[in-house]
Amino acid sequence: VPYFAWNWLVFDTLAPSSGRALAYMHSYRESFTFTSGLQLIAYQPALDLTWAPQAVLIGGLLLLALAFFTVPTDRRGMLAPLVLYALILAVYYGYVQQQGRPRYYVAVAVVVVVLLCAWGEARTTQRSRWTIYAVAGGVALAVALNTALFVGYVNTERTAAYQAQPAMFAAARWINANLPHEAVVAAQNSGIFQYYSGRVVLNIDGKLNHEIVPVLVQRQLDRYLHDAGVRYLVDLQGVGRYIEFYSSSMSVADPHPEISTLKRLGIHVQRVAARLGLAAPVELAERVPEQVTQPFETLASVEQVFPLPNDPRNAVVIYRLHDQFGQHQ
């Protein structure tokens, strides 16, 4: 209750600012997918199935449902709140927030393990030596698979072209050594920059700044940054396109208001109906401007560039914003 009360008093919503921002960021066409609910089985870390095709994930969900409905009635009643929690989590992240990370589903692993244990208990009347061997073998295989996938994931991340953290760290240290102490910087990935730069870094994607979503809706991001005294921008070089899209003085784009939870779920239902031929297709917004009227590069100068370690073609860039940036006529 204190958590929700704090959110309501500070952010005017029950969700924290990050939840509201993520919901808005993922309210465009590319985020509306039918299979987001499969995160429930793919992301739970009891058995890492992030590699599995959709058919395997659907089969896994059906097997878990079968296990639930074949346990004794008293066990099913005890399991029901846990299963309901897992389903609500999958619907919330998959179809309301429309995004997910494996760390969101750690608690679901507990639900999966407890459910499988209850099913196994119901199937085994006496714990023979072979039963113990089978259970131990199954656990060993799961641990081995998870370990192998984790090692592969670490190696992939280490050499991935999109690995930007070393360049972000270098940029933050450059800011610490070269920009005035009173300088105000803006960034999407603001956490790493503020922590290591020792400067105020204003978050512009809303995950750490509850003021930003109304600004994005009104497409007044450039004016907001100007009024906040921001004179530097640091992030991956694509951040300029983000500034352009959410600034009405820099581009032309259709208004994109926040979408309520009920409307978001209604869009999913309508999309299913359209797929079945029972409704017209849904027109969904894209995060692409109709026209760029003032390119970001004409209002900013590059101060420093830090190429990504595994992809020198991309970089973290520190921009200095010109005096006319954000000053509407």
Side-chain angles (χ1 to χ4, degrees):
V1 170
Y3 172 77
F4 289 118
W6 171 263
N7 290 338
W8 185 264
L9 292 172
V10 176
F11 309 129
D12 295 325
T13 64
L14 291 178
S17 62
S18 59
R20 182 183 182 186
L22 287 170
Y24 185 74
M25 290 165 57
H26 295 274
S27 61
Y28 292 87
R29 177 181 295 178
E30 70 275 6
S31 298
F32 284 88
T33 60
F34 292 112
T35 56
S36 294
L38 293 178
Q39 294 173 0
L40 173 67
I41 188 68
Y43 287 173
Q44 52 74 33
L47 181 64
D48 188 344
L49 294 175
T50 53
W51 54 270
Q54 290 183 1
V56 172
L57 299 178
I58 293 172
L61 280 177
L62 292 176
L63 288 175
L64 287 179
L66 180 64
F68 175 74
F69 286 109
T70 55
V71 298
T73 303
D74 62 330
R75 291 287 190 266
R76 199 181 313 153
M78 297 169 66
L79 286 167
L82 293 177
V83 172
L84 183 62
Y85 155 78
L87 293 174
I88 290 174
L89 200 69
V91 170
Y92 176 72
Y93 284 123
Y95 300 107
V96 177
Q97 294 293 95
Q98 300 191 154
Q99 55 90 44
R101 297 286 186 272
R103 64 178 181 269
Y104 299 168
Y105 290 88
V106 169
V108 173
V110 178
V111 179
V112 171
V113 169
V114 171
L115 174 58
L116 293 178
C117 288
W119 180 85
E121 180 192 36
R123 305 275 77 77
T124 307
T125 55
Q126 50 182 325
R127 295 174 177 82
S128 66
R129 181 177 59 180
W130 295 109
T131 300
I132 295 174
Y133 289 163
V135 171
V139 171
L141 284 174
V143 170
L145 176 61
N146 287 345
T147 302
L149 290 171
F150 174 73
V151 171
Y153 170 78
V154 170
N155 289 330
T156 298
E157 288 295 302
R158 184 181 293 120
T159 58
Y162 54 78
Q163 181 57 259
Q165 298 294 329
M168 290 182 175
F169 173 76
R173 299 309 296 161
W174 188 92
I175 291 172
N176 180 274
N178 294 277
L179 293 191
H181 287 283
E182 66 276 8
V184 180
V185 185
Q188 290 176 292
N189 296 284
S190 57
I192 186 171
F193 293 120
Q194 174 145 322
Y195 189 89
Y196 290 109
S197 71
R199 304 294 185 273
V200 173
V201 179
L202 187 66
N203 175 257
I204 59 172
D205 66 10
K207 285 183 283 188
L208 296 172
N209 181 2
H210 72 280
E211 296 178 343
I212 206 69
V213 173
V215 173
L216 301 182
V217 172
Q218 297 163 14
R219 300 184 63 241
Q220 296 293 319
L221 184 54
D222 59 337
R223 175 173 287 182
Y224 173 82
L225 296 180
H226 177 272
D227 293 345
V230 172
R231 291 296 174 264
Y232 296 91
L233 181 71
V234 57
D235 222 304
L236 294 168
Q237 55 198 30
V239 70
R241 309 288 79 78
Y242 179 85
I243 301 288
E244 286 174 356
F245 182 78
Y246 286 114
S247 301
S248 60
S249 67
M250 301 174 70
S251 66
V252 177
D254 291 333
H256 185 68
E258 289 187 82
I259 302 175
S260 69
T261 298
L262 288 178
K263 185 174 182 180
R264 194 183 301 263
L265 294 175
I267 290 173
H268 287 292
V269 171
Q270 188 177 349
R271 292 185 72 236
V272 172
R275 180 66 65 90
L276 297 175
L278 302 176
V282 184
E283 294 293 331
L284 299 171
E286 293 186 273
R287 197 173 8 232
V288 179
E290 296 178 15
Q291 179 186 2
V292 175
T293 56
Q294 180 84 63
F296 172 77
E297 287 75 13
T298 64
L299 297 172
S301 302
V302 174
E303 285 285 298
Q304 198 64 245
V305 177
F306 300 87
L308 271 57
N310 302 322
D311 185 7
R313 298 169 299 175
N314 293 319
V316 172
V317 183
I318 299 174
Y319 297 97
R320 182 178 58 82
L321 304 179
H322 297 171
D323 292 339
Q324 64 267 34
F325 180 88
Q327 292 185 350
H328 293 195
Q329 297 297 326

Short mmCIF file of all heavy atoms in Angstrom, two decimals, residues 135-172:
data_model
loop_
_atom_site.label_atom_id
_atom_site.label_comp_id
_atom_site.label_asym_id
_atom_site.label_seq_id
_atom_site.Cartn_x
_atom_site.Cartn_y
_atom_site.Cartn_z
N VAL A 135 14.79 -38.23 -11.22
CA VAL A 135 14.67 -36.83 -10.80
C VAL A 135 16.04 -36.15 -10.80
O VAL A 135 16.20 -35.04 -11.32
CB VAL A 135 14.01 -36.73 -9.41
CG1 VAL A 135 14.08 -35.30 -8.89
CG2 VAL A 135 12.57 -37.20 -9.48
N ALA A 136 17.04 -36.84 -10.24
CA ALA A 136 18.39 -36.27 -10.20
C ALA A 136 18.93 -36.04 -11.61
O ALA A 136 19.56 -35.01 -11.89
CB ALA A 136 19.32 -37.18 -9.42
N GLY A 137 18.66 -36.98 -12.51
CA GLY A 137 19.11 -36.83 -13.88
C GLY A 137 18.45 -35.65 -14.58
O GLY A 137 19.10 -34.89 -15.31
N GLY A 138 17.14 -35.49 -14.34
CA GLY A 138 16.42 -34.38 -14.94
C GLY A 138 16.95 -33.04 -14.44
O GLY A 138 17.14 -32.09 -15.23
N VAL A 139 17.20 -32.95 -13.13
CA VAL A 139 17.74 -31.72 -12.57
C VAL A 139 19.14 -31.44 -13.13
O VAL A 139 19.47 -30.30 -13.49
CB VAL A 139 17.78 -31.80 -11.03
CG1 VAL A 139 18.54 -30.61 -10.45
CG2 VAL A 139 16.37 -31.86 -10.46
N ALA A 140 19.97 -32.49 -13.23
CA ALA A 140 21.32 -32.31 -13.77
C ALA A 140 21.28 -31.82 -15.21
O ALA A 140 22.06 -30.94 -15.60
CB ALA A 140 22.09 -33.62 -13.66
N LEU A 141 20.36 -32.37 -16.01
CA LEU A 141 20.25 -31.94 -17.40
C LEU A 141 19.81 -30.47 -17.48
O LEU A 141 20.33 -29.71 -18.31
CB LEU A 141 19.26 -32.83 -18.14
CG LEU A 141 19.75 -34.23 -18.52
CD1 LEU A 141 18.61 -35.05 -19.12
CD2 LEU A 141 20.91 -34.14 -19.51
N ALA A 142 18.86 -30.09 -16.64
CA ALA A 142 18.39 -28.71 -16.64
C ALA A 142 19.52 -27.76 -16.25
O ALA A 142 19.71 -26.71 -16.89
CB ALA A 142 17.21 -28.55 -15.69
N VAL A 143 20.28 -28.11 -15.21
CA VAL A 143 21.40 -27.27 -14.77
C VAL A 143 22.46 -27.18 -15.87
O VAL A 143 23.01 -26.10 -16.15
CB VAL A 143 22.00 -27.81 -13.46
CG1 VAL A 143 23.30 -27.08 -13.12
CG2 VAL A 143 21.01 -27.67 -12.32
N ALA A 144 22.74 -28.32 -16.52
CA ALA A 144 23.75 -28.32 -17.59
C ALA A 144 23.30 -27.45 -18.75
O ALA A 144 24.10 -26.66 -19.30
CB ALA A 144 24.00 -29.75 -18.06
N LEU A 145 22.02 -27.56 -19.15
CA LEU A 145 21.52 -26.75 -20.25
C LEU A 145 21.56 -25.27 -19.89
O LEU A 145 22.03 -24.44 -20.68
CB LEU A 145 20.10 -27.16 -20.60
CG LEU A 145 19.41 -26.33 -21.69
CD1 LEU A 145 20.16 -26.42 -23.00
CD2 LEU A 145 17.96 -26.76 -21.86
N ASN A 146 21.09 -24.92 -18.70
CA ASN A 146 21.10 -23.53 -18.28
C ASN A 146 22.53 -22.97 -18.25
O ASN A 146 22.77 -21.82 -18.64
CB ASN A 146 20.46 -23.38 -16.91
CG ASN A 146 18.95 -23.54 -16.96
OD1 ASN A 146 18.35 -23.50 -18.02
ND2 ASN A 146 18.33 -23.74 -15.82
N THR A 147 23.47 -23.77 -17.75
CA THR A 147 24.86 -23.32 -17.67
C THR A 147 25.44 -23.10 -19.05
O THR A 147 26.11 -22.09 -19.31
CB THR A 147 25.71 -24.35 -16.90
OG1 THR A 147 25.14 -24.55 -15.60
CG2 THR A 147 27.14 -23.88 -16.76
N ALA A 148 25.19 -24.05 -19.98
CA ALA A 148 25.72 -23.91 -21.33
C ALA A 148 25.14 -22.68 -22.02
O ALA A 148 25.86 -21.92 -22.69
CB ALA A 148 25.40 -25.17 -22.14
N LEU A 149 23.85 -22.45 -21.84
CA LEU A 149 23.22 -21.29 -22.45
C LEU A 149 23.75 -19.99 -21.85
O LEU A 149 23.94 -19.00 -22.55
CB LEU A 149 21.70 -21.37 -22.27
CG LEU A 149 21.01 -22.45 -23.11
CD1 LEU A 149 19.55 -22.59 -22.69
CD2 LEU A 149 21.09 -22.13 -24.59
N PHE A 150 24.01 -20.02 -20.53
CA PHE A 150 24.55 -18.82 -19.89
C PHE A 150 25.94 -18.50 -20.41
O PHE A 150 26.26 -17.34 -20.71
CB PHE A 150 24.58 -19.01 -18.37
CG PHE A 150 25.25 -17.88 -17.64
CD1 PHE A 150 24.61 -16.66 -17.50
CD2 PHE A 150 26.53 -18.02 -17.12
CE1 PHE A 150 25.22 -15.60 -16.85
CE2 PHE A 150 27.14 -16.97 -16.46
CZ PHE A 150 26.49 -15.76 -16.33
N VAL A 151 26.79 -19.51 -20.54
CA VAL A 151 28.14 -19.30 -21.07
C VAL A 151 28.06 -18.76 -22.49
O VAL A 151 28.77 -17.82 -22.86
CB VAL A 151 28.95 -20.60 -21.02
CG1 VAL A 151 30.28 -20.44 -21.76
CG2 VAL A 151 29.20 -21.02 -19.57
N GLY A 152 27.16 -19.34 -23.30
CA GLY A 152 27.00 -18.85 -24.66
C GLY A 152 26.50 -17.42 -24.69
O GLY A 152 26.95 -16.61 -25.52
N TYR A 153 25.58 -17.09 -23.78
CA TYR A 153 25.05 -15.73 -23.71
C TYR A 153 26.15 -14.73 -23.37
O TYR A 153 26.25 -13.66 -23.98
CB TYR A 153 23.94 -15.67 -22.67
CG TYR A 153 23.47 -14.28 -22.32
CD1 TYR A 153 22.61 -13.59 -23.17
CD2 TYR A 153 23.88 -13.65 -21.15
CE1 TYR A 153 22.18 -12.30 -22.86
CE2 TYR A 153 23.46 -12.37 -20.83
CZ TYR A 153 22.61 -11.70 -21.70
OH TYR A 153 22.20 -10.43 -21.39
N VAL A 154 26.99 -15.07 -22.39
CA VAL A 154 28.09 -14.18 -22.00
C VAL A 154 29.04 -13.94 -23.17
O VAL A 154 29.44 -12.81 -23.45
CB VAL A 154 28.84 -14.76 -20.78
CG1 VAL A 154 30.12 -13.97 -20.52
CG2 VAL A 154 27.95 -14.75 -19.55
N ASN A 155 29.39 -15.02 -23.89
CA ASN A 155 30.29 -14.87 -25.03
C ASN A 155 29.66 -14.04 -26.13
O ASN A 155 30.33 -13.23 -26.78
CB ASN A 155 30.68 -16.25 -25.56
CG ASN A 155 31.61 -17.00 -24.62
OD1 ASN A 155 32.38 -16.38 -23.89
ND2 ASN A 155 31.53 -18.32 -24.61
N THR A 156 28.36 -14.23 -26.35
CA THR A 156 27.67 -13.44 -27.37
C THR A 156 27.65 -11.96 -26.99
O THR A 156 27.92 -11.09 -27.83
CB THR A 156 26.23 -13.94 -27.54
OG1 THR A 156 26.25 -15.30 -27.99
CG2 THR A 156 25.47 -13.10 -28.56
N GLU A 157 27.35 -11.67 -25.73
CA GLU A 157 27.30 -10.29 -25.28
C GLU A 157 28.67 -9.62 -25.37
O GLU A 157 28.78 -8.45 -25.72
CB GLU A 157 26.77 -10.21 -23.85
CG GLU A 157 25.29 -10.49 -23.73
CD GLU A 157 24.46 -9.43 -24.42
OE1 GLU A 157 24.58 -8.24 -24.09
OE2 GLU A 157 23.69 -9.80 -25.33
N ARG A 158 29.71 -10.39 -25.06
CA ARG A 158 31.06 -9.82 -25.05
C ARG A 158 31.47 -9.36 -26.45
O ARG A 158 32.20 -8.38 -26.59
CB ARG A 158 32.05 -10.84 -24.51
CG ARG A 158 33.48 -10.30 -24.37
CD ARG A 158 34.43 -11.36 -23.86
NE ARG A 158 34.13 -11.74 -22.49
CZ ARG A 158 33.80 -12.96 -22.10
NH1 ARG A 158 33.73 -13.92 -23.00
NH2 ARG A 158 33.57 -13.23 -20.84
N THR A 159 31.02 -10.08 -27.47
CA THR A 159 31.44 -9.76 -28.84
C THR A 159 30.33 -9.13 -29.67
O THR A 159 30.52 -8.91 -30.87
CB THR A 159 31.92 -11.04 -29.54
OG1 THR A 159 30.86 -12.01 -29.55
CG2 THR A 159 33.13 -11.63 -28.81
N ALA A 160 29.19 -8.84 -29.06
CA ALA A 160 28.04 -8.32 -29.82
C ALA A 160 28.32 -6.93 -30.36
O ALA A 160 28.94 -6.09 -29.70
CB ALA A 160 26.81 -8.30 -28.93
N ALA A 161 27.83 -6.68 -31.58
CA ALA A 161 28.03 -5.37 -32.20
C ALA A 161 27.36 -4.26 -31.42
O ALA A 161 27.83 -3.12 -31.42
CB ALA A 161 27.52 -5.41 -33.64
N TYR A 162 26.25 -4.58 -30.74
CA TYR A 162 25.49 -3.55 -30.02
C TYR A 162 26.03 -3.28 -28.62
O TYR A 162 25.47 -2.46 -27.90
CB TYR A 162 24.02 -3.97 -29.93
CG TYR A 162 23.80 -5.35 -29.32
CD1 TYR A 162 23.88 -5.55 -27.95
CD2 TYR A 162 23.52 -6.43 -30.14
CE1 TYR A 162 23.69 -6.80 -27.41
CE2 TYR A 162 23.33 -7.69 -29.61
CZ TYR A 162 23.41 -7.88 -28.24
OH TYR A 162 23.23 -9.13 -27.70
N GLN A 163 27.11 -3.94 -28.21
CA GLN A 163 27.64 -3.75 -26.86
C GLN A 163 28.17 -2.32 -26.71
O GLN A 163 29.21 -1.96 -27.26
CB GLN A 163 28.75 -4.76 -26.60
CG GLN A 163 29.36 -4.67 -25.21
CD GLN A 163 28.33 -4.84 -24.11
OE1 GLN A 163 27.91 -3.85 -23.52
NE2 GLN A 163 27.92 -6.06 -23.83
N ALA A 164 27.43 -1.51 -25.95
CA ALA A 164 27.75 -0.08 -25.88
C ALA A 164 28.26 0.35 -24.51
O ALA A 164 28.70 1.50 -24.36
CB ALA A 164 26.51 0.73 -26.24
N GLN A 165 28.22 -0.50 -23.51
CA GLN A 165 28.57 -0.06 -22.16
C GLN A 165 30.00 0.48 -22.04
O GLN A 165 30.21 1.51 -21.39
CB GLN A 165 28.36 -1.22 -21.17
CG GLN A 165 26.93 -1.71 -21.08
CD GLN A 165 25.99 -0.68 -20.50
OE1 GLN A 165 26.40 0.12 -19.68
NE2 GLN A 165 24.74 -0.69 -20.94
N PRO A 166 31.00 -0.16 -22.65
CA PRO A 166 32.36 0.42 -22.53
C PRO A 166 32.44 1.82 -23.13
O PRO A 166 33.10 2.70 -22.56
CB PRO A 166 33.23 -0.58 -23.31
CG PRO A 166 32.47 -1.88 -23.22
CD PRO A 166 31.03 -1.50 -23.30
N ALA A 167 31.78 2.04 -24.25
CA ALA A 167 31.82 3.38 -24.86
C ALA A 167 31.06 4.38 -24.01
O ALA A 167 31.48 5.55 -23.88
CB ALA A 167 31.22 3.31 -26.27
N MET A 168 29.95 3.97 -23.40
CA MET A 168 29.20 4.86 -22.52
C MET A 168 30.03 5.23 -21.30
O MET A 168 30.03 6.38 -20.86
CB MET A 168 27.89 4.19 -22.10
CG MET A 168 26.87 4.06 -23.21
SD MET A 168 25.32 3.32 -22.62
CE MET A 168 24.32 3.45 -24.11
N PHE A 169 30.74 4.25 -20.75
CA PHE A 169 31.60 4.52 -19.60
C PHE A 169 32.69 5.52 -19.97
O PHE A 169 32.96 6.48 -19.22
CB PHE A 169 32.23 3.22 -19.09
CG PHE A 169 33.25 3.42 -18.01
CD1 PHE A 169 32.86 3.72 -16.72
CD2 PHE A 169 34.60 3.33 -18.29
CE1 PHE A 169 33.81 3.91 -15.71
CE2 PHE A 169 35.56 3.51 -17.30
CZ PHE A 169 35.16 3.81 -16.01
N ALA A 170 33.30 5.33 -21.14
CA ALA A 170 34.35 6.26 -21.58
C ALA A 170 33.79 7.66 -21.79
O ALA A 170 34.43 8.66 -21.43
CB ALA A 170 34.99 5.74 -22.87
N ALA A 171 32.59 7.75 -22.34
CA ALA A 171 31.97 9.06 -22.55
C ALA A 171 31.68 9.74 -21.22
O ALA A 171 31.89 10.96 -21.07
CB ALA A 171 30.69 8.90 -23.37
N ALA A 172 31.20 8.98 -20.25
CA ALA A 172 30.90 9.55 -18.94
C ALA A 172 32.16 10.08 -18.27
O ALA A 172 32.16 11.16 -17.66
CB ALA A 172 30.23 8.49 -18.06
#
